[in-house]
Amino acid sequence: QVQLVESGGGSVQTGGSLRLSCTGTGDLIRNAHDMAWFRQGPGKEREGLAAIGSDGISRYADSLRDRFTISLDDAKTTLYLQMNRLKPEDTAMYYCAARTSIGRWFGWPSRESYDTWGQGTQVAVSS
């Protein structure tokens, strides 16, 4: 059963922008201990991009903090990822992830810290 759904992906030229959205069933996002965005390009490992805790504090991969912004709406029903000045190397499947249970914390940006995942939304950046 799908609990997280991403949207907002698509094709864009280098230098363009996209805003990804993630919605959850019920109060999943509001009750989550931590929410994050990951991506996985062709032939590459899944990497953490940004995360935001229940305290509202966000964190980013060092190489992306100047271009990507993670946020939640006021009702905490939707997670966003604003992506600016996109590059071809940003081409990947982008995933929304949630930490909903109290278990071992593997830290950021370890994907093992998150127990619930969306199906992904594709982003393609062309020259």
Side-chain angles (χ1 to χ4, degrees):
Q1 53 197 67
V2 178
Q3 293 187 285
L4 290 173
V5 178
E6 304 95 335
S7 62
S11 299
V12 65
Q13 294 197 38
T14 297
S17 298
L18 286 172
R19 188 177 72 162
L20 307 183
S21 299
C22 174
T23 57
T25 59
D27 297 324
L28 191 154
I29 294 177
R30 183 182 300 108
N31 293 335
H33 302 288
D34 199 270
M35 297 292 302
W37 287 98
F38 289 76
R39 72 182 179 190
Q40 187 166 18
K44 301 175 67 177
E45 297 290 325
R46 187 169 299 189
E47 61 175 327
L49 310 175
I52 185 166
S54 59
D55 55 5
I57 298 176
S58 60
R59 49 202 183 277
Y60 298 88
D62 288 339
S63 62
L64 300 174
R65 62 172 54 252
D66 292 334
R67 297 193 295 121
F68 289 14
T69 302
I70 190 170
S71 64
L72 288 162
D73 67 338
D74 290 339
K76 295 187 177 180
T77 58
T78 306
L79 178 74
Y80 299 101
L81 182 68
Q82 178 67 46
M83 305 186 295
N84 299 323
R85 292 179 283 121
L86 286 163
K87 307 173 182 179
E89 50 262 46
D90 294 320
T91 296
M93 186 73 73
Y94 284 70
Y95 298 91
C96 170
R99 177 177 170 83
T100 65
S101 64
I102 299 297
R104 180 177 175 183
W105 176 249
F106 292 86
W108 169 257
S110 177
R111 61 185 179 182
E112 286 79 10
S113 294
Y114 302 89
D115 53 80
T116 305
W117 295 78
Q119 82 293 334
T121 185
Q122 182 68 48
V123 171
V125 184
S126 60
S127 301

